[in-house]
Amino acid sequence: MWICQHVLFIIFTLNCVSGAASLIHVFGYEGKEVKISCPYIKGYESYEKYLCKNGCGYSDILITTLQRNTSKYLIYDDTKKTIITVTISDLRSHDAGKYWCGVSRLGKDLYTEVQLEVKKDRCCDTVSKIQSIEKGSVSISCPYDFEYVNNLKYICRGNRPSTCLQQAVITSDTKQNGQFRLTDDRKSSIFTVTISSLTLRDSGSYLCGVQRKVGLDVFSAVELEVKELELFHISGIVGHPVTLQCPNPPEQRDKKMFLCKGDQHNNCTDIMENQRKFMLHNVSSSCFSVTITDLEAADAGTYYCGSDSQLSYIKIQLTVVSTDQSSTVSPIITDEQITSLTTSPHLTDVTLFYILPAVLALLLILVFLLWMVLKYKSRSKKVDGVGLNVLNSDVGMISNDIYELQENAVYMNTSSPPNMSNHDDIYTNILYRKDLSQLGNM
C-alpha cells in the first residue's frame, strides 16, 4: 500500500513539474532577503498555498500559509490581488536554485516555477580610481549599455549593490542635489556625476547604478581620493615684485596654466591675461613661476595657481606691507614650500646652500679659539704661581742672611765695645757695618 502511494506521489510530482505554466526569475544578494511573488487565478483565495524547492516532495516543502512564518521564510497571501509573496531572509549561496509556488487543491495543484539566483553583496571586479584636490571638483563618468538609455541612473556611496538605490545621493530624476549634479549623455551612453566643493570626507568608494526592470541593477565601481590642499603664506612689499611658485606636473603638461584670485577656488578670477602685471616664466616639467610686478595694497588676498583646476593646484595667501613695515614683516616659509621650491632652481636655495656651511665653519673656529685662550690662561696661572714661590723662597733666604749678619754685628759690638783709642778697631767696625748695609740694600 505504501509503495502504491509513493508511486502515485511521484507521478503527481512529475505531472506538476511538467505542467508548469510560467517561470519567474528572482535575484538576491548574500546576507540580504528576497521576495518571491507568485500570482494565482481567482477562486482559490481560501485554498492553502505553499513554497517548495527542487522536486517539491514532502520534505521539500519550506513554508505553507498554515505555518505563516519560520526563522527563514515568511509567506503572505494577498487574496484581494491573488498574489502569494514569500520572503526568504539571510540568503546564502546554497539558497540559489529552483522553487515552486503551489496552491493545494483536489487533483493537480496549481503551481508557478521560480528560479532564484544569489550573488555576493559587493562590487566590482574592476574599480576605476580618480583623484582630486580639497575644495575642488571632480567628474565621475559612468558608461552603460544603450538598451538602458531610458532607465533610471543613480550613484551611491559604498560598494554594496543591495542598498545602493535606497541610499543614492543623486538620481537622474533629481539631477541636482547639493554638491552632486548628474547629467546623462544618451548619445554616448554615459552619465556623469560632478561633485563640487570637495572635502577630505568625500574620499571613498562609489557605485554608478542603472536600474533594470528585470533582474539585478547594473553597477560600475569608482574609488575617489581627495587630497589635502597645500596652503602657502607669502609677504611682499609695496612697489616691489614678488614671485609665486605653482605646480606643473608632467602628466598635466597639456593643461592650461592658471593663476586666479578669490576666496573660493570655484569662484575666482583668472588674472593671467594681464601679462604686464603678471609675468609668467621659469616653466618646467614640475612647476612654473609668476611674478607680480610693482605690488600694490590691493594685490593682497588669496590666490590659486596650477596647471589643472580640478587636480593639481595650490592655495597662496599673499600679504602686502608698506615700506615702513617691511623691516618688521618677513614671509612665512613652510616645510612644504621649501620642498616645492626645490623642484626648480631658485636663488634662495643656492644662497642657503653656501651660507649655512660657512656659518657652521665660523662657529667651529670661534669655539676652537676660545678653547685655546682658556687653555693658555690656565697654563699662565700655573707658571706664575711657581715663580712666585721661588721668589719668596729667595727673599726669605736673603732676609735670614741679613738677620744673622745683624746679630753677629750686634754681638761683636756688645762683646767687644770699641776702644776710642784703638783706631784700627773703629775702622774695622765701620767697614763691617758698611758691608752689612750694602748687603741689606740688595
Side-chain angles (χ1 to χ4, degrees), residues 249-317:
E251 61 272 14
Q252 305 295 337
R253 289 179 183 176
D254 58 338
K255 302 291 185 179
K256 179 183 177 181
M257 292 176 288
F258 74 95
L259 173 66
C260 66
K261 183 181 179 182
D263 294 333
Q264 298 296 328
H265 167 259
N266 295 330
N267 188 24
C268 61
T269 304
D270 193 354
I271 54 180
M272 289 288 287
E273 296 181 357
N274 187 356
Q275 297 181 0
R276 296 183 61 183
K277 177 76 174 180
F278 303 93
M279 300 178 59
L280 175 67
H281 57 94
N282 292 339
V283 179
S284 67
S285 61
S286 58
C287 68
F288 66 90
S289 301
V290 178
T291 297
I292 306 177
T293 61
D294 194 16
L295 275 177
E296 301 175 6
D299 293 327
T302 303
Y303 292 81
Y304 297 89
C305 69
S307 57
D308 185 345
S309 60
Q310 304 298 327
L311 178 60
S312 180
Y313 64 91
I314 61 173
K315 181 179 180 180
I316 299 175
Q317 190 68 41

Side-chain angles (χ1 to χ4, degrees), residues 155-334:
I155 191 170
C156 68
R157 298 202 61 169
N159 63 350
R160 291 188 175 274
S162 61
T163 58
C164 187
L165 181 57
Q166 292 81 2
Q167 299 177 356
V169 294
I170 191 172
T171 70
S172 55
D173 288 342
T174 56
K175 296 183 180 180
Q176 182 75 42
N177 181 19
Q179 67 180 131
F180 296 91
R181 182 170 58 90
L182 189 149
T183 58
D184 187 7
D185 187 351
R186 299 191 175 192
K187 292 182 179 180
S188 59
S189 300
I190 297 176
F191 75 91
T192 304
V193 176
T194 302
I195 310 175
S196 59
S197 302
L198 287 168
T199 65
L200 299 179
R201 294 189 300 271
D202 292 321
S203 298
S205 300
Y206 290 82
L207 287 181
C208 299
V210 178
Q211 189 180 39
R212 296 174 62 189
K213 297 179 181 179
V214 179
L216 297 175
D217 292 352
V218 181
F219 295 98
S220 58
V222 176
E223 188 71 24
L224 172 62
E225 180 185 4
V226 180
K227 294 184 177 181
E228 186 175 1
L229 179 63
E230 293 182 278
L231 173 62
F232 299 97
H233 295 270
I234 298 179
S235 295
I237 304 173
V238 172
H240 293 262
V242 66
T243 299
L244 310 180
Q245 294 275 358
C246 305
N248 183 34
E251 61 272 14
Q252 305 295 337
R253 289 179 183 176
D254 58 338
K255 302 291 185 179
K256 179 183 177 181
M257 292 176 288
F258 74 95
L259 173 66
C260 66
K261 183 181 179 182
D263 294 333
Q264 298 296 328
H265 167 259
N266 295 330
N267 188 24
C268 61
T269 304
D270 193 354
I271 54 180
M272 289 288 287
E273 296 181 357
N274 187 356
Q275 297 181 0
R276 296 183 61 183
K277 177 76 174 180
F278 303 93
M279 300 178 59
L280 175 67
H281 57 94
N282 292 339
V283 179
S284 67
S285 61
S286 58
C287 68
F288 66 90
S289 301
V290 178
T291 297
I292 306 177
T293 61
D294 194 16
L295 275 177
E296 301 175 6
D299 293 327
T302 303
Y303 292 81
Y304 297 89
C305 69
S307 57
D308 185 345
S309 60
Q310 304 298 327
L311 178 60
S312 180
Y313 64 91
I314 61 173
K315 181 179 180 180
I316 299 175
Q317 190 68 41
L318 175 61
T319 302
V320 179
V321 298
S322 62
T323 307
D324 297 335
Q325 296 174 318
S326 61
S327 59
T328 59
V329 178
S330 59
I332 302 173
I333 303 177
T334 64

Side-chain angles (χ1 to χ4, degrees), residues 58 77 79 291 340 354 373:
Y58 180 78
D77 183 10
T79 56
T291 297
S340 174
Y354 288 103
V373 170

